Amino acid sequence: SQLDQLPAMLTVEEASAALGVGRSSAFDMVHRGAIPAVRLSQRRIGVPKAALIRKFNLDGEGDASL
């Protein structure tokens, strides 16, 4: 699948594409805590692929709540 091709740590832009939401919406979701994310530096935010898959049921399991 396309998810298999992605790195273990995604950018917010990559996560937004995987979820089918816009970039601004994805950043808003990160700030609300709806997308699991870690701050990598003052300007960079990473989204762990495994957490994204679990959170949004991208593998058939998870809570799938936006």
Side-chain angles (χ1 to χ4, degrees), residues 9-61:
M9 185 67 68
L10 308 175
T11 64
V12 176
E13 289 84 356
E14 289 168 330
S16 73
L19 294 173
V21 299
R23 181 181 181 274
S24 296
S25 294
F27 274 101
D28 183 53
M29 292 169 74
V30 165
H31 293 302
R32 287 193 333 248
I35 291 178
V38 292
R39 182 155 299 275
L40 301 175
S41 69
Q42 186 175 353
R43 295 185 47 118
R44 294 190 62 213
I45 297 170
V47 178
K49 179 171 72 171
L52 191 72
I53 289 169
R54 280 192 308 272
K55 172 75 176 174
F56 292 99
N57 199 25
L58 300 178
D59 64 353
E61 300 177 15

